[in-house]
Amino acid sequence: MISDSIKTGIKNAPHRALYHALGLTNEEISRPLIGIVSSYNEIVPGHMNIDKIVNAVKMGVAMAGGTPVVFPAIAVCDGIAMGHKGMKYSLCTRELIADSTEAMALAHGFDALVMVPNCDKNVPGLLMAAARLNIPSIFISGGPMLAGRVDGKKTSFSSISEAVGEYAARKITAEKLCEYEENCCPTCGSCSGMYTANSMNCLTEALGMGLGGNGTVPAVYSKRIELAKHAGMKIMELLEKDIKPLDIMTENAFINALTVDMALGCSTNSILHLPAIANECGIDINPDTVNEISAKTPNLCHLAPAGHTYIEELDEAGGVYAVMNELSKLGHIKLDAMTCTGMTAGENIKNSYNKNTEVIRPVGNPYSITGGIAVLRGNLAPDSCVVKRSAVCDEMLAHSGPAKVFDSEEDAMEAITGGKISAGDVVVIRYEGPKGGPGMREMLNPTSAIMGMGLGSQVALITDGRFSGATRGAAIGHVSPEAAVGGPIGIVKDGDIISINIPENKITLEVPQEEIKKRMDEFIPKTKELSGYLKRYAGLVTSGSKGAVLEIKN
């Protein structure tokens, strides 16, 4: 065991003295030391219950003969960070989480890890750390929030975001806005739609790093506590069998994850995070890989915000394993991929089945024959850009319109709420990319305002930043190269016609090539005065098309 090198023999008596200072007995010191990475805090609704999950994990580890030791990971609530400077720090925390977990695990010689994340950047950050450390690891999330209810209909966080736009358009009263505010997020847990947190927790199952139900069992269900105990017990089995993250997160595992991603209609942020995780595993996921899998994978679920079903209903319908079972009928799942259960993906899903064909459509009757995410390319985005196709209405799958250009989210919001955006427009928000933001802010407020004002079937939004998983509509993000590094999005002018064709994976700035060349030759990107972590981050971060990973400079 790794920990033996720091706790056995005469030379390690000083280490043992410090273990005794923690209140550990000789019996506990002699057992495998299992690090439990807790993302608990009191500011993120998806994390406020993680202390209970951690206690259940500790019990499971102890029951199976290990010694559990808890240490923390930070977490930012994207909803609370939305729309102000705080959102610049959200994506940045993914790297902080990975780095700090690596430091803690190696500094203290843990034999194995149980990762307890929940919200947006904690899941990918800890998956990156697991790959980097490559010691036995398993994931158990805090679980999804239950859907809220307003007027007898289920709601979620995106409902209140869009209600702000409805109020601005005088479609609802202040009293109705308050009703949404007080009822759309009724419990702890990650927000109840197929937003980024739930997307990544579900994809952790598909990757093989989380037990069945990890992504879907609601936070407030007792079954979540049972699952946490099983995760604590299972890590001891993984340690005994020496099954490590790189044995699980293989190329086939990422194919499974991308396939499930397309079937579920996950957040476009998954196309930032899966390549970043794969990069830590020595595997390349590029935009072409995404489109190849999307082209052959049917979209089986329309979970909020794309539709009117929620994660709790996906759980009732059989969860991620039921979706994988459906996909296996087409031969799209790599059944021999090893997982944290100690069994293969095929063994895991063989007894799962679709319990509700309204929530999980059969492969013979999908919402679309292609996946929920599309990667577009063209002279506006030579490297790529990304859209959640499953959340785009039919009228906007192909659209051309004049550009309304803004150099920040704040300027765009002022124009949208001020009634300066018209039907047919293409809103362009730039200098919000990984370097230009920096931090690649999510643009939920502009998209929600557009939807709430009734323009969702008539207006497109394009940005070198990114969109929340709660976003719906023709919202195209991750435009690469970004404006700050000289990308063509930086030369777009008000009134330029932009054409979007999602089925054909194309995005085009309809300006003569000679004019584009002239503008590019004259283009000098804007810069910002930065300090602290954002300055270091902006200096190292790569393109959104590469997962916005940090570049190691020799």
Side-chain angles (χ1 to χ4, degrees):
M1 291 188 299
I2 296 171
S3 63
D4 283 346
S5 64
I6 61 173
K7 67 184 185 183
T8 61
I10 298 299
K11 68 181 178 64
N12 286 323
H15 297 137
R16 292 195 297 275
L18 293 171
Y19 287 138
H20 286 301
L22 293 171
L24 295 181
T25 66
N26 286 326
E27 291 82 0
E28 288 172 304
I29 295 169
S30 69
R31 296 171 181 170
L33 294 182
I34 310 300
I36 302 174
V37 188
S38 170
S39 300
Y40 169 76
N41 64 44
E42 295 183 343
I43 189 62
V44 185
H47 292 230
M48 62 183 286
N49 66 316
I50 280 180
D51 56 339
K52 297 176 179 61
I53 305 298
V54 165
N55 285 337
V57 170
K58 289 172 67 176
M59 187 174 293
V61 168
M63 285 192 294
T67 297
V69 182
V70 179
F71 65 90
I74 64 169
V76 165
C77 177
D78 277 20
I80 295 175
M82 195 73 65
H84 61 96
K85 184 179 180 180
M87 181 48 75
K88 294 178 182 289
Y89 287 89
S90 174
L91 182 61
C92 301
T93 64
R94 187 185 69 184
E95 272 57 37
L96 284 176
I97 292 160
D99 291 349
S100 60
T101 302
E102 173 192 358
M104 288 293 287
L106 292 178
H108 300 102
F110 289 111
D111 297 302
L113 296 173
V114 181
M115 310 292 201
V116 193
N118 207 25
C119 291
D120 298 32
K121 311 309 165 299
N122 290 76
V123 183
L126 290 178
L127 283 165
M128 291 165 69
R132 197 181 296 173
L133 291 162
N134 200 33
I135 60 175
S137 302
I138 195 169
F139 279 66
I140 171 66
S141 78
M145 183 184 292
L146 293 178
R149 280 175 173 75
V150 174
D151 297 331
K153 296 180 180 179
K154 289 187 175 182
T155 62
S156 60
F157 182 69
S158 55
S159 305
I160 180 60
S161 300
E162 293 182 15
V164 172
E166 292 182 68
Y167 177 72
R170 299 183 179 179
K171 292 185 175 183
I172 61 172
T173 64
E175 290 75 18
K176 180 57 70 174
L177 178 65
C178 184
E179 188 178 348
Y180 275 105
E181 178 183 329
E182 293 179 353
N183 292 285
C184 70
C185 296
T187 73
C188 62
S190 47
C191 295
S192 57
M194 188 51 80
Y195 310 152
T196 306
N198 291 328
S199 294
M200 294 310 302
N201 281 321
C202 287
L203 295 181
T204 299
E205 286 189 53
L207 267 177
M209 291 295 291
L211 299 176
N214 177 68
T216 60
V217 175
V220 294
Y221 284 11
S222 298
K223 186 178 176 183
R224 171 67 52 181
I225 300 297
E226 293 180 25
L227 194 64
K229 291 175 183 176
H230 282 128
M233 291 185 276
K234 184 61 69 172
I235 193 62
M236 299 305 297
E237 180 184 327
L238 294 174
L239 178 61
E240 181 183 355
K241 294 180 177 179
D242 196 30
I243 298 175
K244 299 174 181 176
L246 295 185
D247 299 321
I248 295 171
M249 290 193 285
T250 61
E251 185 173 351
N252 280 346
F254 283 99
I255 291 173
N256 284 347
L258 282 167
T259 301
V260 172
D261 190 340
M262 299 307 157
L264 287 175
C266 290
S267 164
T268 51
N269 284 316
S270 64
I271 307 304
L272 278 177
H273 298 322
L274 286 175
I277 300 160
N279 179 65
E280 296 285 354
C281 299
I283 296 168
D284 179 47
I285 294 178
N286 57 53
D288 292 326
T289 307
V290 175
N291 268 349
E292 286 168 10
I293 293 175
S294 182
K296 66 180 182 180
T297 305
N299 178 224
L300 305 182
C301 300
H302 265 193
L303 297 149
H308 300 289
T309 52
Y310 295 81
I311 301 297
E312 63 201 68
E313 289 160 293
L314 176 61
D315 187 62
E316 293 165 4
V320 174
Y321 280 6
V323 174
M324 294 176 72
N325 194 297
E326 281 289 339
L327 293 167
S328 71
K329 297 173 184 177
L330 299 175
H332 289 348
I333 297 296
K334 304 295 184 181
L335 298 175
D336 59 350
M338 177 52 64
T339 75
C340 67
T341 65
M343 300 186 295
T344 64
E347 291 171 317
N348 287 342
I349 69 174
K350 67 180 180 181
N351 294 322
S352 299
Y353 64 95
N354 187 351
K355 300 175 184 178
N356 188 336
T357 57
E358 295 298 315
V359 177
I360 305 171
R361 288 217 178 161
V363 290
N365 181 36
Y367 283 101
S368 66
I369 60 172
T370 53
I373 291 177
V375 175
L376 315 183
R377 277 198 177 97
N379 63 355
L380 186 58
D383 290 344
S384 67
C385 55
V386 181
V387 63
K388 187 170 182 175
R389 172 167 40 195
S390 60
V392 179
C393 64
D394 291 343
E395 300 96 306
M396 293 299 293
L397 289 172
H399 176 78
S400 290
K404 293 285 182 69
V405 183
F406 306 94
D407 288 346
S408 71
E409 177 187 4
E410 288 83 357
D411 289 348
M413 274 299 292
E414 184 178 344
I416 294 167
T417 56
K420 296 179 181 179
I421 303 302
S422 304
D425 286 346
V426 178
V427 176
V428 177
I429 308 174
R430 61 194 180 193
Y431 293 103
E432 292 287 6
K435 284 184 179 293
M440 209 175 185
R441 286 196 288 181
E442 288 187 342
M443 304 290 167
L444 178 60
N445 287 350
T447 58
S448 296
I450 289 287
M451 296 302 296
M453 297 173 77
L455 294 171
S457 61
Q458 300 167 298
V459 171
L461 292 95
I462 297 173
T463 183
D464 52 10
R466 59 196 178 95
F467 291 109
S468 166
T471 290
R472 62 190 178 104
I476 299 166
H478 311 187
V479 171
S480 302
E482 61 177 294
V485 299
I489 190 174
I491 64 164
V492 180
K493 296 182 178 180
D494 282 341
D496 286 348
I497 301 300
I498 295 175
S499 296
I500 301 158
N501 193 315
I502 295 172
E504 294 184 8
N505 304 105
K506 293 179 180 178
I507 185 166
T508 307
L509 176 62
E510 302 288 2
V511 171
Q513 184 56 41
E514 313 83 63
E515 175 64 15
I516 290 177
K517 184 179 185 305
K518 178 176 179 292
R519 292 187 194 179
M520 290 296 290
D521 288 343
E522 297 173 350
F523 178 39
I524 301 175
K526 295 182 178 181
T527 58
K528 297 176 181 177
E529 288 293 324
L530 301 172
S531 62
Y533 181 51
L534 289 181
K535 184 174 183 178
R536 296 197 302 276
Y537 182 84
L540 295 173
V541 70
T542 60
S543 166
S545 64
K546 296 180 179 179
V549 298
L550 300 187
E551 184 177 37
I552 299 173
K553 296 183 177 181
N554 296 323

